[in-house]
Amino acid sequence: MADLTGKRIVVGMTGGVAAYKTAELVRRMMDEGATVDVVMTEAATKFITPVTMQALSGRPVFVDPWDPRVPNNMAHIDLSRGADAILVVPASTNFMARVAHGFADDLLATLCVARACPLLMVPAMNREMWGNPATQRNAAQLRADGIVLLGPVDGDQACGEVGSGRMMEPHDVLQELIAFFQPKPLQGVRVLITAGPTAEPIDPVRVLTNVSSGKMGYAIARAAREAGADVTLVSGPTALATPRGVLRIDAHSARDMMSAVMGETPRADVFIAVAAVADWRVAEASAQKIKKTAGEPPTLSFVQNPDILATVAALPGGPYCVGFAAETEHLDQHATEKRQRKGIPLLVGNLAQDALGADDTTLILYDDQGRHPLPRQSKLAAARELIAQVARRLPAGRVPTLAARPAPGSPSAVPSAPPSPLSLP
């Protein structure tokens, strides 16, 4: 099922050259199953036409607050009723100021004031406009009022300048919107995750590694962040993009990963060891390239790498630990033995030949009560289900932030200066 299936989103467009990105965003939202109603300001129609947005959304576009297509002439009321969210993209300096001060002088502004649903804004403006003290005061007021601001980001701007104020790219806005609607069972919890392979040097040009793509670990990092967690990802070499809002630390070898993990563990409430860490490394890696000769190939001696998961699990008062086991045979036996050997409460097992490099997977959870298979599904869907399981299993009182976590939608759930744009209004 697409991530926005059953959601009705009102997309508000204000005047700005970034309006062209909204056209792409609307199309991608529909690909994810959303129903999209577009409302434009008069200024927005100077940059892109209502005809274009109607063609992309497949629904009437609204500009006039007195639109006769609405039987009761109350578009500002009717459009927000039944909507799951209003997303203003791009949000101009002027529009942010108007909403911050409660102006209701056109259809979109009135809709925002009269809304009965969450409001998200995606700012887009010149760097000087974004940095202006008045704009920053307005942004702070919007956040204090429970309005979610997504961005802006740094980059090239239409005026030729470079700096903060650029609108987020459509795929990033879409990912943030999807994340906004995900449950937040780990709000405020600090999660440390390892992902990907490690690479153990043989000489300056050769390594011992494995075929792990990192997809599962990256999906879990995204799912944990969607669930409200503060996520740090220690990653081996991969070609994957870092999930939005996740702090990534690159590690090359098993010892690099061990060092990074141990540096982050004191701040972690949960540790999820997904990385395919090499069990061995070459005892004496050559400082120079080993040359091919006509005789016998070189003989390599190996030593065992540190066991990252077992080390973290043995820490007094350490984080709640989740391990992974990718096996090629006898999965139940090997996974059960590994969980007991590592001394961890939860281990996730799968068959390597069915999962490595693939976009979907079948996970089996092992704990003191036995085995709990999950259906075959995309790695992101499996990651979300795993994160939900971890949230339910965290011991009461082990993570202080859980007891203090405000209920979604409560005023205390909205920070005055949020570290993440995903806090529910």
Side-chain angles (χ1 to χ4, degrees), residues 278-302:
D279 292 319
W280 309 281
R281 67 179 186 273
V282 175
E284 296 290 340
S286 174
Q288 305 298 327
K289 179 181 177 182
I290 300 173
K291 303 301 292 181
K292 179 181 177 180
T293 63
E296 291 294 318
T299 299
L300 302 176
S301 298
F302 296 92

Side-chain angles (χ1 to χ4, degrees), residues 112-137:
C112 291
V113 173
R115 73 186 188 279
C117 62
L119 173 59
L120 301 87
M121 291 188 179
V122 187
M125 62 198 71
N126 168 265
R127 64 184 183 89
E128 297 290 356
M129 298 173 75
W130 173 249
N132 187 282
T135 305
Q136 290 302 303
R137 286 195 301 272

Side-chain angles (χ1 to χ4, degrees), residues 161-333:
E161 297 180 352
V162 178
S164 185
R166 179 185 173 94
M167 178 181 147
M168 290 168 51
E169 295 304 314
H171 63 273
D172 290 328
V173 178
L174 179 64
Q175 191 174 124
E176 294 284 10
L177 184 64
I178 291 170
F180 178 81
F181 289 113
Q182 294 298 317
K184 300 290 181 287
L186 292 183
Q187 188 73 48
V189 177
R190 297 160 298 183
V191 178
L192 176 62
I193 300 170
T194 63
T198 61
E200 308 299 326
I202 297 173
D203 62 23
V205 298
R206 300 182 180 93
V207 296
L208 291 174
T209 188
N210 56 64
V211 297
S212 171
S213 66
K215 291 179 181 179
M216 191 71 243
Y218 277 61
I220 292 172
R222 173 178 170 177
R225 194 259 176 163
E226 289 178 342
D230 178 1
V231 182
T232 299
L233 175 65
V234 179
S235 175
T238 78
L240 301 174
T242 307
R244 283 196 57 78
V246 170
L247 173 63
R248 172 173 162 177
I249 301 173
D250 289 325
H252 192 73
S253 68
R255 286 177 291 178
D256 293 339
M257 187 169 285
M258 178 74 166
S259 177
V261 166
M262 297 312 293
E264 294 296 322
T265 296
R267 293 179 290 278
D269 300 313
V270 176
F271 176 53
I272 307 178
V274 193
V277 182
D279 292 319
W280 309 281
R281 67 179 186 273
V282 175
E284 296 290 340
S286 174
Q288 305 298 327
K289 179 181 177 182
I290 300 173
K291 303 301 292 181
K292 179 181 177 180
T293 63
E296 291 294 318
T299 299
L300 302 176
S301 298
F302 296 92
V303 294
Q304 193 160 311
N305 270 323
D307 190 322
I308 300 173
L309 177 57
T311 302
V312 175
L315 292 173
Y320 181 88
C321 290
V322 181
F324 263 71
E327 303 291 345
T328 57
E329 60 179 358
H330 308 304
L331 175 59
D332 288 348
Q333 175 188 342

